[in-house]
Amino acid sequence: MAFDRSGTVLVVASDDGTVKCCDASQKDSIQLVHTLEGHEGAVQSVLFDPQSRYIVSGGSDKSFRIWL
């Protein structure tokens, strides 16, 4: 999992081949806002670029994806 620069967006790698994008701006709750689909297997890693413009994920399908 990784937070963006502001600390309000959380992305989570998932075993189901997706990346979950969550709103973490509220202290009491985290809300799922979008699911990115595209890997053929479990997502092993996820991160934001330094400016938080892109999300990069790597999966057990031996691929990586750049999400805009």
Side-chain angles (χ1 to χ4, degrees):
M1 78 174 85
F3 282 95
D4 72 336
R5 287 177 64 182
S6 71
T8 61
V9 178
L10 173 68
V11 291
V12 181
S14 181
D15 284 342
D16 67 2
T18 65
V19 175
K20 312 287 190 208
C21 301
C22 303
D23 177 359
S25 61
Q26 303 298 314
K27 288 187 176 189
D28 296 339
S29 67
I30 295 175
Q31 300 291 325
L32 176 66
V33 293
H34 194 70
T35 301
L36 302 172
E37 299 176 350
H39 284 282
E40 297 295 322
V43 179
Q44 301 294 322
S45 61
V46 65
L47 59 91
F48 281 95
D49 77 292
Q51 286 75 40
S52 296
R53 293 175 295 176
Y54 311 106
I55 299 167
V56 179
S57 60
S60 59
D61 58 356
K62 298 179 183 160
S63 72
F64 72 93
R65 303 214 182 260
I66 299 173
W67 308 90
L68 305 175

